């Protein structure tokens, strides 16, 4: 690779670049707890909780993949969706219930997260 030009990005920069190119807000999710716990009862309880709050396609994909990106049409609706359905931070939440999110605006900047 010494004679080849290339660009290297961390994940946050890559997602931000995509958001800017698409000109749409994006939400990056990491379904951490379901994929990093051995407490089956706690995982199932968390899944049941999210299934009662979220559209089916979200929970279906959350079960299938630890990392997801959602294209949104409205930044305002995205903010409301996140604050209404996900923990505001990792603090005080069981590992199994915690789902990380980062909201990117249409210019590729992270404007909200729950880390």
């Amino acid at each position: 690779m010494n004679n080849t030009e290339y660009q290297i990005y961390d994940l946050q920069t890559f997602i931000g670049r995509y958001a800017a190119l698409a000109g749409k807000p994006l939400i990056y999710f990491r379904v951490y707890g379901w994929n990093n716990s051995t407490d089956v009862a706690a995982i199932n309880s968390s899944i049941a909780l999210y299934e009662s709050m979220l559209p089916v396609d979200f929970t279906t994909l959350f079960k299938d993949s630890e990392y997801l990106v959602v294209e949104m049409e409205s930044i305002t609706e995205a903010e409301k969706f996140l604050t209404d359905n996900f923990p505001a931070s990792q603090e005080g939440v069981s590992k199994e219930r915690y789902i990380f999110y980062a909201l990117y605006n249409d210019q590729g900047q992270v404007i909200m997260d729950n880390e």
Side-chain angles (χ1 to χ4, degrees):
M1 291 210 357
N2 291 340
N3 296 324
T4 302
E5 288 194 35
Y6 61 91
Q7 296 293 320
I8 187 167
Y9 304 105
D10 60 30
L11 186 58
Q12 180 175 334
T13 302
F14 183 79
I15 294 170
R17 287 174 56 87
Y18 179 85
L21 288 170
K24 294 185 177 193
L26 298 178
I27 304 171
Y28 165 70
F29 288 104
R30 180 173 183 202
V31 188
Y32 180 80
W34 299 0
N35 295 286
N36 293 284
S37 174
T38 57
D39 186 338
V40 175
I43 293 168
N44 287 337
S45 175
S46 176
I47 289 171
L49 173 69
Y50 283 109
E51 284 179 332
S52 72
M53 298 185 312
L54 301 177
V56 172
D57 52 346
F58 275 81
T59 53
T60 299
L61 288 174
F62 281 177
K63 289 183 221 176
D64 290 341
S65 180
E66 185 172 346
Y67 307 94
L68 297 160
V69 175
V70 179
E71 259 187 34
M72 300 294 289
E73 292 298 322
S74 164
I75 197 85
T76 305
E77 287 182 30
E79 289 173 340
K80 181 167 177 26
F81 174 72
L82 294 171
T83 57
D84 287 352
N85 294 292
F86 297 94
S89 73
Q90 195 171 5
E91 186 177 328
V93 177
S94 70
K95 173 171 57 174
E96 293 80 14
R97 184 161 175 256
Y98 180 65
I99 295 178
F100 169 80
Y101 66 77
L103 176 59
Y104 293 77
N105 65 15
D106 60 357
Q107 297 175 352
Q109 303 158 322
V110 175
I111 61 165
M112 183 175 155
D113 68 38
N114 69 343
E115 189 164 46

